Amino acid sequence: MPLGLAGELVRDADGGGTVFLHGQASFSWDGGDEVGRRWAAVRLAVLKAASVAEIATAFDVTPTTVWLWKQLLTEGGIAALVPEKKGPKRASRLTESVIARIVELRSTGLSQQAVGDAVGVSEFSVRRALKIAAEQAAADAAETPTADEAEALEPAQQPELPLQPVPAPRAAERAAAGLLECAAPVFAPAAHIRHAGLFLAFPALETTGLLSCAKEVYGALPNGFYGLESVLIDGVLRALAGEARAEGATRFDPVELGRVLGLDRAPEVKTIRRRISQLAEAGNAGELIAALAKHHLAGTGPGGENLSAILYVDGHVRAYQGTKKIGKIYSTRLKFPVPATEETWVTDAQGSPVFVVMAKPGASLAAELRDLLPELRTAVGDDRRVLVGFDRGGWSPALFKHMDAAGFDVLTWRKGTTEDIKEELFTEVSHTDEHGEEKTWSVADTIVDLPLATTKKTREVFSIRQISRIVGTTGGGTRQIHILTTDRDLPAGELVYRMGNRWRQENQFRYARMHFELDSHDSYTSIDDDEDRMVPDPAKAKAYQKVVAARNAHAEAAAIADINLMALKTPAEGSKELTVTVTSAMHNQAMAPLWEAENVLTAAEKVHKKIPAKLRLGDLNPGQQVLDT
């Protein structure tokens, strides 16, 4: 029987049935399993897989019945869907959901009369409901075998699991949340748990060290039902399920996600934001990231001890689309400057993030690298040399010398133009990657000198190893590209492979943008920028553009003047005169465009020289803000 546009109900001969959604079996129940049948109908209604009328027709009930089942499930859980036996059993108003409500209100300290008034029953009914709940709890405890008893039972003797876990009553813990550090997880056995696949993430989560590092750094959150571990695990599981931001909690049924957390309900948006704000107010985010980085590089699995041999560093621009006055940063992805913040990410050899810091406003990657070296050394934990790869944004021969002295090896592309290496110096090298695949390249391995500082008396240089390759161009030709490194021991083939491997970091950014909301801002809190900070003067750049245009015009005028002078000095075709007379007026007329171009160039250079390279931010852009880290 069809169910909406994408569903179908197939009935079994024994009275059971299976619901298919988009061709996949999504719900199934056996003959006589009325709870499973009702639960399937309610879930179809919640998922809006079909209209309530279509669901009612398929399940041979009225739309009102479907609505009633939905109310029972919401108020009393899966147990409320169990059909009641015929005949007088207890007061008609004391349904499972009413009894659960009475127990919850009574656990908050209300008197029996107040509970009765709140629920709409007498005080006698409240006492009777509490007695029924106590007897039911005792019966459940007596019938449920211990773990040892359950293991001893034969498969045929194992107790039949409920379709959904019966939620453990947590009303008392919620009432005493201000006195508890957190609510401990409690898991109930069940045959079906939505999002159960998230349990597979727990071994990996333990390997990351997130929980142990967070407990070491923060200790605990202020007393409440949701503790530090609950908030962190909830955030990780939601991210793995596709909703990394706090607002993503609205896309989950809190009861269903709570079962994976061992709680009656998962925290919702307001609670998540409040708890994260409490973590942020502690100001220990840097310590947490440093602890995680040290744990990561300490080696937590096979081969992990070599992770710290190679690190990649790159900046990531996080565009801001709000209304606050945030400074602009050029985005290589968007190809134009945008209001944004910039972060400096460090990843391991596989491209997995090690740690991240917020870059200083206006800081270059070279400056960020220099500041990062102490943190990198702390994360590595010893004095071994570490190969650090980065792109041309970190180009600085002075930085290369500083890193080499500090025990770090540079791996980067050469910036600017340089003479080509002679072709006879190129030889074939190879490298076998971690997948066993051998790669070969034709390279030239040489040593070059990079100028550090040039004066009239001295010319200081820094010698560095250069690995050159010949690559094709779009026009069908070839050109040389050069890799620079201070490492003198690694084979040339491995250096070429490691430099190309830096794209794993870019792939990590791309993946995180799609799956982990890397470009989103979970907080829009801002603070005033430092108005005394010196920033580049845009007028200087505009003036330099005029200088470049004037130089081009001068070169063009000089070429035209040379042609005109040559024409003046050359006898006319067919003329018998071997000499040509060039008067001052003729010479001046030929040279006039060049002299005019020289005057324009001189004026442009003077204007450019007078403009300061940097200005106070307060003078250039008063009121600018930065997003709070």
Side-chain angles (χ1 to χ4, degrees):
M1 178 177 292
L3 270 173
L5 298 177
E8 184 177 2
L9 171 60
V10 178
R11 301 182 188 276
D12 299 335
D14 62 352
T18 303
V19 174
F20 292 86
L21 295 179
H22 298 284
Q24 295 188 3
S26 302
F27 307 103
S28 180
W29 62 93
D30 297 327
D33 182 8
E34 182 63 18
V35 175
R37 174 173 170 272
R38 293 182 179 186
W39 185 83
V42 172
R43 292 306 303 163
L44 288 171
V46 172
L47 295 173
K48 297 183 179 179
S51 66
V52 175
E54 291 173 327
I55 296 171
T57 301
F59 284 78
D60 297 327
V61 295
T62 64
T64 304
T65 302
V66 176
W67 178 85
L68 178 60
W69 290 347
K70 186 177 179 182
Q71 290 295 111
L72 290 173
L73 182 64
T74 302
E75 295 175 1
I78 195 72
L81 294 178
V82 178
E84 293 186 5
K85 295 181 179 180
K86 302 297 182 181
K89 181 180 179 182
R90 62 174 180 265
S92 59
R93 301 199 64 179
L94 293 182
T95 61
E96 295 285 351
S97 59
V98 172
I99 292 176
R101 180 63 176 162
I102 289 173
V103 173
E104 180 180 0
L105 291 175
R106 180 60 176 162
S107 65
T108 62
L110 291 178
S111 66
Q112 294 181 358
Q113 183 62 53
V115 172
D117 294 340
V119 179
V121 298
S122 65
E123 183 180 0
F124 173 79
S125 296
V126 171
R127 289 196 298 271
R128 186 175 180 188
L130 294 174
K131 183 178 180 181
I132 292 173
E135 292 174 350
Q136 184 63 41
D140 292 342
E143 293 175 3
T144 303
T146 64
D148 294 337
E149 292 172 343
E151 291 182 2
L153 292 176
E154 295 294 332
Q157 297 175 306
Q158 292 284 352
E160 185 178 354
L161 294 176
L163 183 64
Q164 287 282 355
V166 179
R170 313 300 293 267
E173 291 171 289
R174 288 189 176 275
L179 304 175
L180 298 175
E181 180 179 322
C182 65
V186 176
F187 296 94
H192 175 83
I193 299 178
R194 188 107 186 266
H195 310 302
L198 293 175
F199 283 120
L200 298 175
F202 280 90
L205 177 60
E206 180 67 19
T207 302
T208 65
L210 172 63
L211 302 181
S212 58
C213 291
K215 192 169 184 179
E216 178 183 347
V217 172
Y218 290 101
L221 284 170
N223 288 348
F225 187 81
Y226 298 103
L228 178 63
E229 289 192 356
S230 299
V231 172
L232 293 178
I233 294 175
D234 169 72
V236 170
L237 297 187
R238 276 191 294 100
L240 293 176
E243 296 295 343
R245 303 188 68 187
E247 288 83 353
T250 60
R251 299 176 179 89
F252 293 92
D253 184 333
V255 175
E256 291 180 342
L257 187 58
R259 292 190 179 109
V260 185
L261 299 174
L263 303 172
D264 55 346
R265 295 175 65 86
E268 299 188 49
V269 176
K270 187 176 180 180
T271 302
I272 294 170
R273 286 199 171 278
R274 183 176 69 253
R275 285 311 214 176
I276 290 180
S277 297
Q278 291 169 346
L279 288 175
E281 289 168 2
N284 295 336
E287 295 179 28
L288 175 63
I289 292 176
L292 285 169
K294 191 170 184 178
H295 178 90
H296 183 89
L297 295 181
T300 54
E305 62 277 0
N306 295 321
L307 282 176
S308 59
I310 300 170
L311 297 175
Y312 296 106
V313 180
D314 197 10
H316 173 73
V317 175
R318 188 192 301 260
Y320 170 77
Q321 300 175 351
T323 58
K324 295 182 179 179
K325 195 174 184 180
I326 305 298
K328 291 186 177 182
I329 300 174
Y330 183 81
S331 172
T332 55
R333 184 171 63 90
L334 300 176
K335 307 300 182 185
F336 58 85
V338 292
T341 58
E342 189 170 17
E343 301 149 354
T344 303
W345 284 78
V346 178
T347 61
D348 63 22
Q350 282 74 42
S352 300
V354 176
F355 69 87
V356 59
V357 296
M358 183 71 72
K360 297 177 182 177
S364 64
L365 180 59
E368 287 295 302
L369 274 167
R370 185 181 290 267
D371 293 339
L372 273 177
L373 294 184
E375 295 189 48
L376 290 176
R377 179 56 64 197
T378 301
V380 172
D382 52 39
D383 295 331
R384 81 185 103 170
R385 295 188 71 84
V386 179
L387 186 66
V388 181
F390 48 91
D391 62 14
R392 293 181 178 89
W395 173 266
S396 170
L399 172 67
F400 303 161
K401 182 179 179 181
H402 175 75
M403 292 179 64
D404 183 54
F408 294 90
D409 285 317
V410 172
L411 182 65
T412 188
W413 297 105
R414 181 158 189 165
K415 186 176 182 180
T417 58
T418 185
E419 294 183 2
D420 285 347
I421 303 299
K422 297 179 181 179
E423 291 190 10
E424 57 264 24
L425 297 178
F426 284 83
T427 59
E428 189 172 278
V429 298
S430 63
H431 175 72
T432 303
D433 62 18
E434 58 266 29
H435 304 293
E437 182 179 352
E438 185 179 12
K439 303 177 184 294
T440 60
W441 303 273
S442 178
V443 304
D445 194 343
T446 58
I447 302 295
V448 296
D449 292 333
L450 301 180
L452 291 175
T454 303
T455 64
K456 293 182 179 180
K457 296 182 179 180
T458 62
R459 184 177 182 273
E460 186 180 359
V461 297
F462 177 64
S463 296
I464 193 169
R465 185 182 179 187
Q466 177 175 281
I467 308 295
S468 306
R469 290 183 57 206
I470 299 177
V471 298
T473 61
T474 54
T478 61
R479 66 184 181 94
Q480 291 188 10
I481 58 175
H482 311 283
I483 300 170
L484 297 182
T485 181
T486 54
D487 189 300
R488 302 294 179 95
D489 300 324
L490 278 180
E494 184 172 356
L495 287 171
V496 174
Y497 174 77
R498 294 301 179 187
M499 191 70 248
N501 225 27
R502 200 193 68 81
W503 276 101
R504 289 189 174 185
Q505 189 173 27
E506 301 292 345
N507 293 338
Q508 177 72 25
F509 290 154
R510 187 178 297 110
Y511 183 86
R513 277 198 301 269
M514 293 186 293
H515 298 280
F516 296 134
E517 302 288 351
L518 178 63
D519 285 345
S520 68
H521 289 272
D522 276 326
S523 172
Y524 297 100
T525 304
S526 62
I527 57 177
D528 292 334
D529 204 340
D530 181 10
E531 294 199 344
D532 292 329
R533 179 166 62 87
M534 302 302 290
V535 296
D537 187 353
K540 187 81 170 179
K542 293 181 180 179
Y544 183 71
Q545 291 176 358
K546 292 183 179 180
V547 171
V548 172
R551 287 174 180 170
N552 294 335
H554 181 270
E556 185 177 350
I560 295 174
D562 288 342
I563 295 173
N564 292 338
L565 287 176
M566 183 61 68
L568 288 177
K569 296 176 182 179
T570 303
E573 186 178 354
S575 173
K576 296 181 179 180
E577 296 291 337
L578 298 179
T579 60
V580 176
T581 302
V582 179
T583 64
S584 298
M586 296 168 62
H587 178 270
N588 292 344
Q589 183 178 4
M591 296 295 292
L594 177 60
W595 293 339
E596 182 179 354
E598 285 181 351
N599 293 333
V600 173
L601 175 59
T602 302
E605 289 177 339
K606 287 182 179 179
V607 171
H608 175 261
K609 189 175 182 179
K610 289 181 180 179
I611 298 175
K614 291 188 176 182
L615 290 176
R616 285 182 65 255
L617 177 63
D619 297 333
L620 180 65
N621 196 9
Q624 181 170 299
Q625 295 181 302
V626 292
L627 293 178
D628 189 2
T629 59

